[in-house]
Amino acid sequence: QWQLVESGGGLVQPGGSLRLSCATSGLTLDDYAIGWFRQAPGKEREGVSCISGRGTGTNYADSVKGRFTIARNNLKKTVYLQMNSLKPEDTGVYYCATALCLTGDYRPENVIGSWGQGTQVTVSS
């Protein structure tokens, strides 16, 4: 079974930036789209962004379009989420997962495999 490990979260002021990393092992990364998801306290997990296996296609939730950028380096087996102009409503635990999400369908049944431990992002002054 493959593993995905998220890192890069932290506390940042509104308007600030963070770059999250999703390190993968045990899979041929080119073969899988990777999605970033987040879960705020008391809310359901939601999809944020998705990137195709070779990085030629991406998808973004409306709430993050123009602020977040997803990228991948398959040689390093890592997927990134650059988050700029952060807002308090971006606060939550961020997860990456292999998922059939390029069409913008981030439902749990489209996630392949298990979830990692996530990384906490807190946007607060």
Side-chain angles (χ1 to χ4, degrees), residues 39-62:
Q39 187 166 19
K43 294 188 176 181
E44 291 187 355
R45 196 171 302 185
E46 63 175 354
V48 174
S49 185
C50 187
I51 188 166
S52 64
R54 298 187 183 276
T56 54
T58 58
N59 179 276
Y60 296 93
D62 288 342

PDB file of all heavy atoms in Angstrom, residues 39-62:
ATOM      1  N   GLN A  39     -10.253  20.123   5.970  1.00  0.00           N
ATOM      2  CA  GLN A  39     -11.383  19.980   6.880  1.00  0.00           C
ATOM      3  C   GLN A  39     -11.264  21.011   7.988  1.00  0.00           C
ATOM      4  O   GLN A  39     -10.294  20.993   8.761  1.00  0.00           O
ATOM      5  CB  GLN A  39     -11.437  18.567   7.463  1.00  0.00           C
ATOM      6  CG  GLN A  39     -12.682  18.304   8.280  1.00  0.00           C
ATOM      7  CD  GLN A  39     -12.897  16.836   8.558  1.00  0.00           C
ATOM      8  OE1 GLN A  39     -11.982  16.027   8.468  1.00  0.00           O
ATOM      9  NE2 GLN A  39     -14.130  16.470   8.872  1.00  0.00           N
ATOM     10  N   ALA A  40     -12.224  21.901   8.026  1.00  0.00           N
ATOM     11  CA  ALA A  40     -12.274  22.906   9.085  1.00  0.00           C
ATOM     12  C   ALA A  40     -13.019  22.325  10.278  1.00  0.00           C
ATOM     13  O   ALA A  40     -13.822  21.395  10.128  1.00  0.00           O
ATOM     14  CB  ALA A  40     -12.982  24.162   8.581  1.00  0.00           C
ATOM     15  N   PRO A  41     -12.774  22.863  11.476  1.00  0.00           N
ATOM     16  CA  PRO A  41     -13.466  22.352  12.672  1.00  0.00           C
ATOM     17  C   PRO A  41     -14.977  22.394  12.506  1.00  0.00           C
ATOM     18  O   PRO A  41     -15.542  23.412  12.109  1.00  0.00           O
ATOM     19  CB  PRO A  41     -12.999  23.315  13.773  1.00  0.00           C
ATOM     20  CG  PRO A  41     -11.691  23.830  13.296  1.00  0.00           C
ATOM     21  CD  PRO A  41     -11.810  23.919  11.805  1.00  0.00           C
ATOM     22  N   GLY A  42     -15.618  21.273  12.764  1.00  0.00           N
ATOM     23  CA  GLY A  42     -17.065  21.213  12.704  1.00  0.00           C
ATOM     24  C   GLY A  42     -17.647  21.138  11.305  1.00  0.00           C
ATOM     25  O   GLY A  42     -18.876  21.191  11.138  1.00  0.00           O
ATOM     26  N   LYS A  43     -16.774  21.016  10.297  1.00  0.00           N
ATOM     27  CA  LYS A  43     -17.258  20.975   8.919  1.00  0.00           C
ATOM     28  C   LYS A  43     -16.798  19.693   8.234  1.00  0.00           C
ATOM     29  O   LYS A  43     -15.873  19.021   8.686  1.00  0.00           O
ATOM     30  CB  LYS A  43     -16.749  22.187   8.135  1.00  0.00           C
ATOM     31  CG  LYS A  43     -17.310  23.511   8.613  1.00  0.00           C
ATOM     32  CD  LYS A  43     -16.928  24.642   7.678  1.00  0.00           C
ATOM     33  CE  LYS A  43     -17.547  25.955   8.089  1.00  0.00           C
ATOM     34  NZ  LYS A  43     -17.196  27.065   7.163  1.00  0.00           N
ATOM     35  N   GLU A  44     -17.447  19.385   7.142  1.00  0.00           N
ATOM     36  CA  GLU A  44     -17.052  18.212   6.371  1.00  0.00           C
ATOM     37  C   GLU A  44     -15.781  18.496   5.568  1.00  0.00           C
ATOM     38  O   GLU A  44     -15.475  19.645   5.250  1.00  0.00           O
ATOM     39  CB  GLU A  44     -18.188  17.820   5.419  1.00  0.00           C
ATOM     40  CG  GLU A  44     -19.417  17.272   6.114  1.00  0.00           C
ATOM     41  CD  GLU A  44     -20.445  16.730   5.139  1.00  0.00           C
ATOM     42  OE1 GLU A  44     -20.243  16.872   3.923  1.00  0.00           O
ATOM     43  OE2 GLU A  44     -21.448  16.168   5.603  1.00  0.00           O
ATOM     44  N   ARG A  45     -15.094  17.435   5.256  1.00  0.00           N
ATOM     45  CA  ARG A  45     -13.913  17.565   4.420  1.00  0.00           C
ATOM     46  C   ARG A  45     -14.329  18.014   3.024  1.00  0.00           C
ATOM     47  O   ARG A  45     -15.309  17.525   2.481  1.00  0.00           O
ATOM     48  CB  ARG A  45     -13.176  16.225   4.355  1.00  0.00           C
ATOM     49  CG  ARG A  45     -11.772  16.303   3.841  1.00  0.00           C
ATOM     50  CD  ARG A  45     -11.046  14.974   4.021  1.00  0.00           C
ATOM     51  NE  ARG A  45     -11.015  14.562   5.421  1.00  0.00           N
ATOM     52  CZ  ARG A  45     -10.354  13.493   5.847  1.00  0.00           C
ATOM     53  NH1 ARG A  45      -9.679  12.749   4.995  1.00  0.00           N
ATOM     54  NH2 ARG A  45     -10.374  13.173   7.110  1.00  0.00           N
ATOM     55  N   GLU A  46     -13.567  18.940   2.457  1.00  0.00           N
ATOM     56  CA  GLU A  46     -13.888  19.440   1.127  1.00  0.00           C
ATOM     57  C   GLU A  46     -12.666  19.406   0.229  1.00  0.00           C
ATOM     58  O   GLU A  46     -11.534  19.494   0.688  1.00  0.00           O
ATOM     59  CB  GLU A  46     -14.419  20.876   1.214  1.00  0.00           C
ATOM     60  CG  GLU A  46     -13.417  21.875   1.755  1.00  0.00           C
ATOM     61  CD  GLU A  46     -13.925  23.311   1.717  1.00  0.00           C
ATOM     62  OE1 GLU A  46     -15.017  23.556   1.166  1.00  0.00           O
ATOM     63  OE2 GLU A  46     -13.217  24.194   2.234  1.00  0.00           O
ATOM     64  N   GLY A  47     -12.916  19.292  -1.061  1.00  0.00           N
ATOM     65  CA  GLY A  47     -11.829  19.308  -2.025  1.00  0.00           C
ATOM     66  C   GLY A  47     -11.354  20.714  -2.295  1.00  0.00           C
ATOM     67  O   GLY A  47     -12.156  21.659  -2.320  1.00  0.00           O
ATOM     68  N   VAL A  48     -10.055  20.861  -2.479  1.00  0.00           N
ATOM     69  CA  VAL A  48      -9.444  22.161  -2.705  1.00  0.00           C
ATOM     70  C   VAL A  48      -8.856  22.264  -4.107  1.00  0.00           C
ATOM     71  O   VAL A  48      -9.098  23.231  -4.824  1.00  0.00           O
ATOM     72  CB  VAL A  48      -8.335  22.414  -1.657  1.00  0.00           C
ATOM     73  CG1 VAL A  48      -7.588  23.701  -1.963  1.00  0.00           C
ATOM     74  CG2 VAL A  48      -8.917  22.448  -0.253  1.00  0.00           C
ATOM     75  N   SER A  49      -8.084  21.244  -4.479  1.00  0.00           N
ATOM     76  CA  SER A  49      -7.416  21.289  -5.779  1.00  0.00           C
ATOM     77  C   SER A  49      -7.009  19.889  -6.193  1.00  0.00           C
ATOM     78  O   SER A  49      -6.886  18.989  -5.345  1.00  0.00           O
ATOM     79  CB  SER A  49      -6.183  22.201  -5.701  1.00  0.00           C
ATOM     80  OG  SER A  49      -5.581  22.342  -6.973  1.00  0.00           O
ATOM     81  N   CYS A  50      -6.796  19.716  -7.484  1.00  0.00           N
ATOM     82  CA  CYS A  50      -6.448  18.406  -8.026  1.00  0.00           C
ATOM     83  C   CYS A  50      -5.494  18.588  -9.199  1.00  0.00           C
ATOM     84  O   CYS A  50      -5.597  19.589  -9.933  1.00  0.00           O
ATOM     85  CB  CYS A  50      -7.730  17.695  -8.478  1.00  0.00           C
ATOM     86  SG  CYS A  50      -7.530  15.982  -8.991  1.00  0.00           S
ATOM     87  N   ILE A  51      -4.581  17.625  -9.365  1.00  0.00           N
ATOM     88  CA  ILE A  51      -3.651  17.687 -10.481  1.00  0.00           C
ATOM     89  C   ILE A  51      -3.534  16.308 -11.110  1.00  0.00           C
ATOM     90  O   ILE A  51      -3.519  15.287 -10.405  1.00  0.00           O
ATOM     91  CB  ILE A  51      -2.272  18.226 -10.027  1.00  0.00           C
ATOM     92  CG1 ILE A  51      -1.359  18.475 -11.226  1.00  0.00           C
ATOM     93  CG2 ILE A  51      -1.617  17.307  -9.003  1.00  0.00           C
ATOM     94  CD1 ILE A  51      -0.121  19.305 -10.889  1.00  0.00           C
ATOM     95  N   SER A  52      -3.452  16.266 -12.425  1.00  0.00           N
ATOM     96  CA  SER A  52      -3.376  14.996 -13.141  1.00  0.00           C
ATOM     97  C   SER A  52      -2.019  14.329 -12.927  1.00  0.00           C
ATOM     98  O   SER A  52      -1.074  14.940 -12.428  1.00  0.00           O
ATOM     99  CB  SER A  52      -3.612  15.218 -14.638  1.00  0.00           C
ATOM    100  OG  SER A  52      -2.571  16.024 -15.183  1.00  0.00           O
ATOM    101  N   GLY A  53      -1.942  13.074 -13.349  1.00  0.00           N
ATOM    102  CA  GLY A  53      -0.738  12.286 -13.126  1.00  0.00           C
ATOM    103  C   GLY A  53       0.537  12.904 -13.689  1.00  0.00           C
ATOM    104  O   GLY A  53       1.595  12.837 -13.067  1.00  0.00           O
ATOM    105  N   ARG A  54       0.417  13.523 -14.837  1.00  0.00           N
ATOM    106  CA  ARG A  54       1.594  14.127 -15.449  1.00  0.00           C
ATOM    107  C   ARG A  54       1.606  15.642 -15.311  1.00  0.00           C
ATOM    108  O   ARG A  54       2.455  16.306 -15.908  1.00  0.00           O
ATOM    109  CB  ARG A  54       1.696  13.717 -16.907  1.00  0.00           C
ATOM    110  CG  ARG A  54       1.866  12.209 -17.074  1.00  0.00           C
ATOM    111  CD  ARG A  54       2.140  11.801 -18.515  1.00  0.00           C
ATOM    112  NE  ARG A  54       2.229  10.354 -18.634  1.00  0.00           N
ATOM    113  CZ  ARG A  54       3.350   9.675 -18.392  1.00  0.00           C
ATOM    114  NH1 ARG A  54       4.444  10.310 -18.046  1.00  0.00           N
ATOM    115  NH2 ARG A  54       3.360   8.366 -18.508  1.00  0.00           N
ATOM    116  N   GLY A  55       0.650  16.145 -14.544  1.00  0.00           N
ATOM    117  CA  GLY A  55       0.642  17.580 -14.270  1.00  0.00           C
ATOM    118  C   GLY A  55       0.079  18.444 -15.373  1.00  0.00           C
ATOM    119  O   GLY A  55       0.181  19.664 -15.312  1.00  0.00           O
ATOM    120  N   THR A  56      -0.543  17.839 -16.373  1.00  0.00           N
ATOM    121  CA  THR A  56      -1.046  18.612 -17.502  1.00  0.00           C
ATOM    122  C   THR A  56      -2.442  19.170 -17.255  1.00  0.00           C
ATOM    123  O   THR A  56      -2.903  20.051 -17.979  1.00  0.00           O
ATOM    124  CB  THR A  56      -1.067  17.756 -18.770  1.00  0.00           C
ATOM    125  OG1 THR A  56      -1.801  16.555 -18.498  1.00  0.00           O
ATOM    126  CG2 THR A  56       0.347  17.397 -19.187  1.00  0.00           C
ATOM    127  N   GLY A  57      -3.117  18.661 -16.247  1.00  0.00           N
ATOM    128  CA  GLY A  57      -4.458  19.134 -15.939  1.00  0.00           C
ATOM    129  C   GLY A  57      -4.596  19.456 -14.473  1.00  0.00           C
ATOM    130  O   GLY A  57      -4.017  18.775 -13.619  1.00  0.00           O
ATOM    131  N   THR A  58      -5.335  20.530 -14.179  1.00  0.00           N
ATOM    132  CA  THR A  58      -5.566  20.917 -12.791  1.00  0.00           C
ATOM    133  C   THR A  58      -7.018  21.334 -12.594  1.00  0.00           C
ATOM    134  O   THR A  58      -7.727  21.657 -13.554  1.00  0.00           O
ATOM    135  CB  THR A  58      -4.667  22.095 -12.361  1.00  0.00           C
ATOM    136  OG1 THR A  58      -4.921  23.214 -13.231  1.00  0.00           O
ATOM    137  CG2 THR A  58      -3.194  21.725 -12.422  1.00  0.00           C
ATOM    138  N   ASN A  59      -7.414  21.335 -11.347  1.00  0.00           N
ATOM    139  CA  ASN A  59      -8.754  21.778 -10.980  1.00  0.00           C
ATOM    140  C   ASN A  59      -8.664  22.492  -9.638  1.00  0.00           C
ATOM    141  O   ASN A  59      -7.865  22.104  -8.776  1.00  0.00           O
ATOM    142  CB  ASN A  59      -9.697  20.572 -10.871  1.00  0.00           C
ATOM    143  CG  ASN A  59     -11.100  20.969 -10.464  1.00  0.00           C
ATOM    144  OD1 ASN A  59     -11.395  21.136  -9.278  1.00  0.00           O
ATOM    145  ND2 ASN A  59     -11.951  21.154 -11.438  1.00  0.00           N
ATOM    146  N   TYR A  60      -9.462  23.536  -9.474  1.00  0.00           N
ATOM    147  CA  TYR A  60      -9.474  24.293  -8.220  1.00  0.00           C
ATOM    148  C   TYR A  60     -10.904  24.541  -7.778  1.00  0.00           C
ATOM    149  O   TYR A  60     -11.779  24.830  -8.598  1.00  0.00           O
ATOM    150  CB  TYR A  60      -8.782  25.643  -8.393  1.00  0.00           C
ATOM    151  CG  TYR A  60      -7.314  25.554  -8.711  1.00  0.00           C
ATOM    152  CD1 TYR A  60      -6.876  25.558 -10.027  1.00  0.00           C
ATOM    153  CD2 TYR A  60      -6.367  25.452  -7.699  1.00  0.00           C
ATOM    154  CE1 TYR A  60      -5.532  25.459 -10.340  1.00  0.00           C
ATOM    155  CE2 TYR A  60      -5.016  25.351  -7.992  1.00  0.00           C
ATOM    156  CZ  TYR A  60      -4.608  25.355  -9.320  1.00  0.00           C
ATOM    157  OH  TYR A  60      -3.270  25.253  -9.609  1.00  0.00           O
ATOM    158  N   ALA A  61     -11.109  24.448  -6.474  1.00  0.00           N
ATOM    159  CA  ALA A  61     -12.390  24.870  -5.921  1.00  0.00           C
ATOM    160  C   ALA A  61     -12.531  26.380  -6.117  1.00  0.00           C
ATOM    161  O   ALA A  61     -11.531  27.117  -6.107  1.00  0.00           O
ATOM    162  CB  ALA A  61     -12.455  24.528  -4.439  1.00  0.00           C
ATOM    163  N   ASP A  62     -13.758  26.837  -6.294  1.00  0.00           N
ATOM    164  CA  ASP A  62     -13.987  28.262  -6.533  1.00  0.00           C
ATOM    165  C   ASP A  62     -13.409  29.132  -5.415  1.00  0.00           C
ATOM    166  O   ASP A  62     -12.932  30.243  -5.663  1.00  0.00           O
ATOM    167  CB  ASP A  62     -15.487  28.534  -6.665  1.00  0.00           C
ATOM    168  CG  ASP A  62     -16.056  28.012  -7.983  1.00  0.00           C
ATOM    169  OD1 ASP A  62     -15.263  27.753  -8.914  1.00  0.00           O
ATOM    170  OD2 ASP A  62     -17.285  27.859  -8.061  1.00  0.00           O
TER     171      ASP A  62
END
